[in-house]
Amino acid sequence: MAPQATSVSLLRAASFRISNASKAELPQVAALTAQSLLSCRDIFTQPDLANQKDSDAALALHRFNTQITSLLGDRHVEGRWAAVVLIKATIEAGGWEILKKSIAWVRGLLILLKKPDPPLLRCLTIVTLTRIFMLTWEFPTLIREITTPSLPTFVSTCLNNLASRQPTPQEIKATLECFAQLLPRHPTIFRQHQDAVAKLLTVVFEDKTSGDCVLDLASRISVLLHQCEPKNGASEKWEATLVATLHSAHAMADRTFMSVDEDWQSVTGTNFVNKNILSELYSKAQQARTPAEGPVGQFITPGYQGLMNHLRLLTAYFASATSASVVASVGAVTDLLTRLMSNTISTSSTRSTIRFKRDVTREERDALTEVLPQIHVACLEVLSIFFDRYGKVLAPASQPFLDQIMWIFHASSANVEVRTATYVVGKKILDVSGQSLNKDAISALKKYINACCEDVLPTKEEKDAQNSNGNKQQSTMNADTFLKQGSAKPSAKTELAGLKSAAWDLLPTLLGQLPAEHCSIALRATMDRTAVLARHKDAVMASTLNHTSTAKAARKGNSLLPLLAREYPTDPSVEALLRPRMPILQTGRKATDAETEAEAIDEDEDSISEDEEDQVPAEDITEIAESVSHAAGSSIDTSSNKDLASKEQELVNWALNEYVQGTMGQKAADELSGKSTKGSSNEAIGAAIEAAHEANRSKRQREDEPETVVADKRQKSIEPQATAEDSDDDEFVVPEIVMGDSDDEDE
């Protein structure tokens, strides 16, 4: 399909703006032009457009590409900036048709990357080249023609720029992000630069000015380097580096907790070997005169920084995917986390689990108190990734982890970051093992649950304190309180972005996973109240589905189902809960053919009025009996006669049973038994059919009788009868009717 005239006009207008713009205006013009290039996509994606030299679209495209190439080699920075922006926008809009012709642009960008341009332009060039390499992944031909020859030059140039120049944090971040995207897809190309990349990561980790985002990227690349190993050595490299990271983390913990007597005992055989070696250096540091040479500067601060970097590495190990199956040392990781989380410092002496040595100075106590909450937050992040990766496999170890989280929460609940981390990890643990908690375990979570409810629904500031006589305390009185006595102010809590979100996500888990019968009524009422006042639909739904079944709570009538139905009447989940539409389930045994035919005959007979049945002549019954007897005694061996005989046999047996169960059963039975002894099968069949009609009439009469009469008859039937009658009923045997040849035919 030919390109639209609108696209051609837009491309011409873009070329006109670029050619007429001054050097200072080129960055703004390039940004404006890049937004309109997506509308020219039908021109960029049209195949063999270059061969159509006479078309307007081909001329406009050729002019635009020529302008970009000239700007890429421009002497001014503004021109090169505009070229990089336009190249990225054009390739993303053009796809395959533009990408296969972009080898000249890639070479120009690599040359531009080596020039001493501003760091921001180098960052933009790195992003553009990475985008081109990523777009070639779907086309093996383009990988062979563009990516394979250009990527080694790109990696070496980026490493040289970071090593020889003073890079900005933005350039370091852009380079690490590109390496993290390209390394898993091209490990063989990065193999020859593996040592240089590892050296760069070491510099980043040791730099104290590196931000958290840069450190996280460096940790991820450090984990991905195992894929550069040849053949099948990637798994072994990953496992070896994980073990080395754990040992280094323990060494950093030894340096950080030199002033603490730890009660931790390793379950994997890790000992305090490094701590014993550092004891002499620690004694010398205590005698130092300057703070930089003291225990804080030599042990706590460097140990804390190294420990945080190693915890980031552990997070990256379990968050990043591997190229092959690996064996993770779960026990060693949990051993390290247990050691770090067992040391807590609290304002209350009963909550603290840490024991300082006798000769520890006040500066060491303060420094360790400052860094310990950050260490706990890093440990909780590792634990969160751990549960994301393994899920329910960690169910046996969830209860010890939950206890440690509660220790940290009780000790450092005033710290917002610690409280947020405990909410996130607590939700994942309760999702795995919340249903198995007993009453004592839930009682230990009372403060944790109340804090979650307060963070979801902040409380109001309490009124000024009053003494026992009701008068305000004059010593703490503020004159400004007289101006706003009646207004209630919101609490001055620091609301971070993640705190309320974490508490909001935790509340439905508390209501849905904790066994309702083990929660106290007051605690459950607090959670329900918070869910209703905060208009938390998921929490209200979880409370409704996990309603308590105890009799005491049932008398309270604390179900939130009415509130849920009134607040969310149009929600599909609420509709399914209130009015479930279940499919019909077929239960019971399947009726036999004889029972089905009997029911059909019974329905047909009920449709006939009683008057019509009384007018049936006796000759018709005799004719029916003779026809039945004749059909049963016929000696013709055909399939139709056999089927007719079997159906008539079932009909007679059913009629006989109905006759016996009727009110005239005794009389009809005597007549039938007398006739059967005479050997006349025709008369027996006729009597049975006549008795069946009598039974049907008596049945309809019973249905028409009022309920009082029926009840009286039932009462009379329950009363004992005479002994003679009982004996007659017990001795009565239903005669068996054999459909065979009659005596007349034998004679």
Side-chain angles (χ1 to χ4, degrees), residues 537-713:
K537 189 193 73 171
D538 295 337
V540 177
M541 178 69 73
S543 176
T544 304
L545 296 177
N546 191 25
H547 183 59
T548 179
S549 59
T550 59
K552 185 176 181 181
R555 289 195 299 268
K556 297 287 184 179
N558 56 352
S559 176
L560 300 184
L561 184 59
L563 296 175
L564 182 66
R566 183 176 60 185
E567 190 69 23
Y568 310 100
T570 59
D571 190 85
S573 58
V574 178
E575 178 70 17
L577 180 63
L578 294 176
R579 286 175 285 273
R581 295 172 176 85
M582 301 295 294
I584 299 175
L585 301 179
Q586 299 291 344
T587 59
R589 66 181 184 87
K590 187 177 180 181
T592 60
D593 296 339
E595 293 176 350
T596 304
E597 293 180 0
E599 291 178 358
I601 294 174
D602 195 7
E603 292 177 358
D604 294 339
E605 291 180 353
D606 290 341
S607 62
I608 302 174
S609 62
E610 185 177 356
D611 297 337
E612 294 179 354
E613 289 181 353
D614 294 337
Q615 295 177 2
V616 176
E619 291 82 6
D620 296 341
I621 298 177
T622 305
E623 292 177 2
I624 294 174
E626 291 177 356
S627 62
V628 171
S629 176
H630 182 269
S634 178
S635 59
I636 301 174
D637 189 13
T638 60
S639 60
S640 60
N641 292 336
K642 290 182 179 180
D643 295 338
L644 180 61
S646 61
K647 291 182 180 180
E648 295 297 338
Q649 178 68 34
E650 293 175 355
L651 178 60
V652 171
N653 291 336
W654 169 81
L656 183 59
N657 292 331
E658 289 290 334
Y659 161 72
V660 172
Q661 295 176 2
T663 57
M664 301 176 63
Q666 184 65 31
K667 180 179 178 180
D670 294 338
E671 295 177 0
L672 184 60
S673 60
K675 294 180 181 180
S676 61
T677 54
K678 295 179 181 180
S680 178
S681 60
N682 293 336
E683 296 178 357
I685 294 172
I689 295 175
E690 185 177 359
H693 288 297
E694 292 291 340
N696 290 331
R697 284 194 294 270
S698 62
K699 181 178 179 181
R700 283 191 293 272
Q701 291 176 1
R702 290 195 303 270
E703 292 177 354
D704 296 336
E705 289 178 356
E707 295 181 359
T708 56
V709 178
V710 175
D712 295 339
K713 289 184 177 181

Side-chain angles (χ1 to χ4, degrees), residues 406 409-410 413 418-427 430 445-459 493 498-512 514 523 526-531 534 536 539:
M406 290 302 104
F409 178 81
H410 290 306
S413 59
V418 173
R419 197 158 71 248
T420 303
T422 54
Y423 290 161
V424 174
V425 182
K427 178 185 182 302
L430 292 177
L445 301 176
K446 182 177 180 180
K447 184 179 179 181
Y448 181 72
I449 296 173
N450 290 331
C452 175
C453 295
E454 291 177 0
D455 290 330
V456 172
L457 190 66
T459 58
K493 294 182 180 179
L499 177 61
K500 188 172 183 179
S501 176
W504 185 273
D505 296 338
L506 176 62
L507 185 59
T509 302
L510 294 174
L511 287 168
L514 296 181
L523 186 61
T526 301
M527 292 188 287
D528 290 343
R529 170 182 172 273
T530 304
H536 199 321

Side-chain angles (χ1 to χ4, degrees), residues 348-365:
S348 176
S349 59
T350 58
R351 296 293 184 182
S352 298
T353 60
I354 197 170
R355 293 187 297 107
F356 289 99
K357 296 179 180 179
R358 294 182 178 180
D359 55 348
V360 174
T361 61
R362 182 178 179 181
E363 289 76 10
E364 294 181 64
R365 292 174 181 266

Side-chain angles (χ1 to χ4, degrees), residues 254-256 258 278 281-282 285 294-304:
D254 293 340
R255 183 177 290 272
T256 305
M258 278 298 298
L278 294 175
L281 298 177
Y282 180 72
V296 177
Q298 294 294 326
F299 287 89
I300 296 180
T301 301
Y304 160 72

